[in-house]
Amino acid sequence: MYTFGIDIGSTSSKAVILRDGNELIAHVVVPLGTGTVGPKEAREKVFEISGLTPQDISYTIVTGYGRMNCDYADDQISELSCHAKGIHYLLPTADTIIDIGGQDAKAIKISPRGQMLAFQMNDKCAAGTGRFLDVMARVLNVDINDLGPVSEKSTRPVAISNTCTVFAESEVISQLSSNIPIEDIAAGIHNSVAKRVVGMALRLGRSQNVAMSGGVALNVGVVHAMSRELGCPVLVHPLCQSAGAIGAAVLAWEKYLKGEGKVS
């Protein structure tokens, strides 16, 4: 029995097909989010890779920022619950999740079965989000995918004191005009994000089993800065960007078993 999970984010779309709730059949990440052709492309590609058709899917769940714009799913579930279930699938020992999305940052406490117990969220401004990193990468004229490796070359990270994206951008421009090396500025940006997000995560209590989900988890500079702030290693799975979609597919399977499914 196959289930389909799709995570429609603000900057990317992720699609996953599972067999019997545990075997990963196919997964796709398309760097285009809600309001674009990204969700459609992700769906088409994951079916192409799997060799399946929509008629083979027993239950579909959509999650993410653009989940209300999906008209073919059987149900929609918040990204908090889906990331909790997805990270539990990928990294079963994790009990705390940090998810930095394009528009917000979240910390989630989960049970040994991958159920969300509590959460903290920053959705009031761009500070500490993927959008913040995108803006800073543009100011530094560094591809967002290279920001992490660049920061790893730093020997003297600068302090970025402003948490507001607008003021932080001005601060970074001032650092550039003072001929501060880009790698030291990039490391300072990552430290700034880590301090803000870890401060939020610690409201859930201190843990030694923290995992990151979402695309920002692929930024090695952010992960290392987060580890330093937390005082423990941060777990990152290679499929961390698809955690929300995986969780959606797992929850689709659980709903199907409860008799909530329908054969489409």
Side-chain angles (χ1 to χ4, degrees):
M1 198 66 68
Y2 299 100
T3 54
F4 179 54
I6 183 164
D7 179 2
I8 304 175
S10 60
T11 59
S12 63
S13 302
K14 290 76 69 177
V16 164
I17 294 176
L18 290 183
R19 177 159 52 203
D20 297 338
N22 56 44
E23 183 182 355
L24 184 61
I25 300 300
H27 62 94
V28 165
V29 177
V30 173
L32 295 168
T34 184
T36 73
V37 297
K40 180 174 181 289
E41 284 189 9
R43 187 183 186 216
E44 290 175 350
K45 285 184 178 179
V46 82
F47 279 116
E48 180 182 343
I49 292 170
S50 67
L52 300 171
T53 70
Q55 287 68 41
D56 295 315
I57 302 299
S58 296
Y59 205 93
T60 296
I61 284 183
V62 60
T63 188
Y65 191 71
R67 65 184 184 274
M68 299 302 180
N69 298 324
C70 179
D71 59 4
Y72 58 79
D74 297 303
D75 201 356
Q76 59 87 15
I77 294 179
S78 80
E79 55 264 47
L80 293 165
S81 296
C82 288
H83 278 273
K85 190 64 75 171
I87 285 295
H88 180 69
Y89 175 94
L90 296 171
L91 299 165
T93 62
D95 60 19
T96 301
I97 302 167
I98 291 175
D99 172 36
I100 301 178
Q103 301 292 324
D104 57 33
K106 301 176 280 289
I108 310 167
K109 194 76 173 177
I110 65 173
S111 74
R113 299 183 62 183
Q115 294 170 321
M116 183 180 67
L117 299 175
F119 73 92
Q120 293 285 329
M121 177 182 288
N122 164 36
D123 60 355
K124 301 300 182 186
C125 70
T129 70
R131 173 63 178 160
F132 179 85
L133 293 171
D134 285 338
V135 170
M136 297 306 149
R138 177 178 54 78
V139 174
L140 294 177
N141 195 28
V142 174
D143 187 285
I144 185 64
N145 296 314
D146 296 330
L147 198 59
V150 167
S151 72
E152 292 293 280
K153 299 175 183 175
S154 171
T155 56
R156 299 182 62 184
V158 299
I160 305 295
S161 57
N162 284 294
T163 56
C164 170
T165 302
V166 175
F167 292 130
E169 181 178 5
S170 298
E171 190 175 351
V172 167
I173 292 172
S174 176
Q175 301 279 10
L176 286 171
S177 68
S178 299
N179 296 318
I180 302 296
I182 286 178
E183 52 266 31
D184 289 339
I185 301 174
I189 290 167
H190 292 156
N191 289 340
S192 172
V193 170
K195 287 180 184 295
R196 185 175 180 85
V197 175
V198 167
M200 177 184 68
L202 289 179
R203 296 177 202 155
L204 298 174
R206 190 170 287 278
S207 169
Q208 297 295 309
N209 301 298
V210 180
M212 282 190 69
S213 65
V216 175
L218 298 174
N219 181 325
V220 65
V222 171
V223 173
H224 288 166
M226 208 73 74
S227 296
R228 288 192 294 272
E229 284 297 315
L230 287 164
C232 68
V234 172
L235 304 170
V236 176
H237 192 279
L239 297 181
C240 58
Q241 196 170 8
S242 296
I246 290 172
V250 173
L251 287 167
W253 171 248
E254 292 179 356
K255 280 183 169 283
Y256 184 82
L257 291 183
K258 292 176 181 176
E260 299 177 34
K262 65 178 184 181
V263 178
S264 57

